[in-house]
Amino acid sequence: MRRITVITPCLNSERYIEHTLRTVAMQREDGIEVEHLVIDGGSTDGTSDLVTKYQHPDTQHIISKDGGPAEAINKGLKIATGDYLCWLNSDDFYEPHALVRAIEALEKHPHKAFCFGHCPIINEDGVEIRKAITWVKELCYPLSSRPIIRTVNYISQPAMIFRRSAFEKTGLLRTDLHAAWDYDFTLRLWAYGGGVRVHRPALAYFRWTPQSISGQGYERQFAEEFECARENAGDWALSTLLHRVFRWGIVFCYGHMTRRLSNESRR
């Protein structure tokens, strides 16, 4: 039977994690083995009770201090037993049948290192936001290639699933990065087969909040993404030069959206 490992890093995540746990558990209804590793940095709220509520023989709740999400995910990657691997943050969630669709796509394309799909951005209340960003990312899907991913990060991490064999060549996430460790991992993973698109409906949903990494530190995030792309492609590669230009445009757009949301919240 096909086996996939989902890693969920968390810390005091009781507000959203139940939805995450529920949507991971429902993937088992499609006849695949889903190992769920919840890597808890030491929650002091009701997170543990919720993980217990969704306990399963293939669920592990590992409580251990860590230096952040990347370190927590690495702990999970080191002990994962799945043929396919992914991580899902504690405020994100899957669409029904997402994982079986991802596995089927990878089985149809055995030389691809990973697959990716549609991933709407939602707010704290579950309402879709930032549709323009999702639309721009999806414009890149038909052009999907190594030069394009080096130019713009169009792959949404919650909707990415990769092969164990590719991960073993790529290695663990970088823990020296504050926000771009997932993009760096995608760039390195690409070298071992690239990615295949899974067509709609969505695979997962990404929850944006003012407290999230992309909400609080988007300027640092995009600066790190540029440095990762530059290191991967070279200083004078066309993709590096284009990424430099796109970076400032994206920072401007994010800043405008953040200010608008902040003004709306004050009303």
Side-chain angles (χ1 to χ4, degrees):
M1 182 179 289
R2 298 166 292 184
R3 185 171 178 85
I4 184 168
T5 298
V6 180
I7 300 164
T8 297
C10 67
L11 179 65
N12 294 330
S13 303
E14 66 176 351
R15 180 174 181 183
Y16 299 118
I17 196 171
E18 183 167 16
H19 196 184
T20 305
L21 294 165
R22 185 166 62 249
T23 63
V24 172
M26 73 169 58
Q27 306 299 316
R28 297 186 175 108
E29 298 172 5
D30 293 320
I32 57 175
E33 291 185 358
V34 180
E35 176 183 53
H36 195 187
L37 306 178
V38 182
I39 314 297
D40 191 331
S43 296
T44 56
D45 61 359
T47 297
S48 292
D49 293 335
L50 291 170
V51 177
T52 300
K53 179 179 176 180
Y54 289 88
Q55 191 62 41
H56 182 275
D58 280 330
T59 298
Q60 291 189 56
H61 184 201
I62 299 168
I63 302 175
S64 174
K65 294 286 185 181
D66 57 59
E71 186 176 315
I73 293 165
N74 281 342
K75 289 180 182 180
L77 289 170
K78 290 176 182 178
I79 63 173
T81 63
D83 304 302
Y84 304 94
L85 310 171
C86 55
W87 68 86
L88 185 71
N89 292 321
S90 58
D91 49 2
D92 302 332
F93 59 92
Y94 286 129
E95 182 77 3
H97 317 299
L99 296 185
V100 72
R101 289 169 51 219
I103 291 173
E104 288 172 351
L106 287 170
E107 289 180 343
K108 288 179 182 177
H109 299 84
H111 301 299
K112 295 296 184 180
F114 64 93
C115 68
F116 62 93
H118 181 53
C119 184
I121 304 168
I122 60 171
N123 65 13
E124 295 165 292
D125 300 317
V127 177
E128 185 174 359
I129 58 173
R130 302 190 168 193
K131 294 181 181 181
I133 293 176
T134 303
W135 178 75
V136 169
K137 286 186 174 186
E138 294 198 331
L139 281 180
C140 298
Y141 286 1
L143 305 173
S144 187
S145 64
R146 202 170 187 188
I148 298 300
I149 192 62
R150 285 168 165 171
T151 303
V152 58
N153 182 12
Y154 62 89
I155 293 175
S156 299
Q157 175 275 311
M160 184 177 79
I161 294 87
F162 49 98
R163 296 183 192 278
R164 167 180 287 281
S165 58
F167 157 67
E168 289 172 347
K169 297 173 183 175
T170 304
L172 296 169
L173 307 181
R174 287 176 56 180
T175 56
D176 61 312
L177 297 172
H178 173 74
W181 35 267
D182 52 350
Y183 179 56
D184 170 78
F185 182 79
T186 303
L187 289 173
R188 290 187 287 125
L189 194 64
W190 199 285
Y192 301 104
V196 58
R197 174 188 178 185
V198 180
H199 290 270
R200 290 178 182 242
L203 289 181
Y205 292 80
F206 168 73
R207 192 183 304 273
W208 183 94
T209 69
Q211 296 76 37
S212 62
I213 292 176
S214 59
Q216 290 183 326
Y218 60 88
E219 291 188 49
R220 181 174 179 180
Q221 173 188 344
F222 295 123
E224 286 186 351
E225 286 191 3
F226 171 73
E227 287 303 317
C228 291
R230 184 185 61 79
E231 291 171 9
N232 191 271
D235 289 343
W236 299 106
L238 177 60
S239 59
T240 302
L241 300 176
L242 290 173
H243 193 131
R244 186 189 299 273
V245 175
F246 290 156
R247 167 193 165 192
W248 291 114
I250 294 169
V251 167
F252 174 81
C253 292
Y254 266 65
H256 173 72
M257 287 185 291
T258 300
R259 289 189 294 271
R260 188 183 66 187
L261 288 171
S262 177
N263 291 335
E264 289 176 354
S265 66
R266 294 194 193 104
R267 293 174 186 170

